[in-house]
């Protein structure tokens, strides 16, 4: 998986490309860990993601908890219908801030 990161001040946008599964979730976690130290506002752009597994969901849940602990914000943007359905079925649509 390729991951593009754009940081500016206390904000960061992470754009993973491909799918987030058991193999690629640790890569995303590592990238998030790098930016979450300084970012108070984190956006994860899902415009290039067409699949997320439970491993990817765990990364998002962990990220949300870390952001909450530092009173920051996390938003998930540009999800497609399949990702929306996964978030809805798993209850993540109630946990995460999803922006269309």
């Amino acid at each position: 998986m390729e991951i593009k990161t754009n940081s500016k001040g206390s904000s960061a946008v992470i754009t993973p490309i491909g799918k987030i599964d058991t193999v690629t979730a640790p890569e995303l976690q590592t990238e998030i860990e790098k930016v979450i130290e300084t970012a108070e506002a984190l956006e994860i752009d899902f415009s290039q993601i067409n699949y997320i597994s439970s491993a990817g969901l765990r990364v998002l849940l962990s990220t949300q908890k870390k952001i909450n602990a530092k009173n920051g914000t996390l938003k998930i943007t540009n999800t497609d219908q399949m990702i929306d359905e996964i978030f809805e079925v798993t209850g993540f649509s109630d946990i995460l801030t999803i922006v269309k």
Side-chain angles (χ1 to χ4, degrees):
M1 168 179 22
E2 182 182 348
I3 301 172
K4 296 181 181 180
T5 302
N6 184 6
S7 295
K8 185 175 183 180
S10 64
S11 298
V13 177
I14 295 176
T15 307
I17 300 169
K19 58 184 179 178
I20 305 172
D21 58 18
T22 306
V23 174
T24 60
E27 294 174 50
L28 180 59
Q29 181 71 45
T30 300
E31 190 63 28
I32 289 170
E33 301 269 335
K34 287 181 198 174
V35 300
I36 207 169
E37 292 177 18
T38 57
E40 293 180 21
L42 177 59
E43 174 184 339
I44 302 177
D45 180 355
F46 266 63
S47 62
Q48 304 296 313
I49 294 295
N50 55 17
Y51 175 80
I52 186 167
S53 72
S54 60
L57 293 173
R58 281 190 297 277
V59 169
L60 295 180
L61 183 59
S62 171
T63 301
Q64 184 66 66
K65 287 179 179 180
K66 289 176 183 174
I67 286 284
N68 288 349
K70 62 188 285 181
N71 294 318
T73 59
L74 170 66
K75 63 182 175 180
I76 309 298
T77 60
N78 302 313
T79 55
D80 67 16
Q81 184 178 353
M82 179 180 276
I83 299 296
D84 288 339
E85 289 175 15
I86 292 169
F87 287 157
E88 190 66 37
V89 168
T90 60
F92 273 69
S93 57
D94 297 329
I95 298 169
L96 301 172
T97 302
I98 302 168
V99 180
K100 288 291 181 181

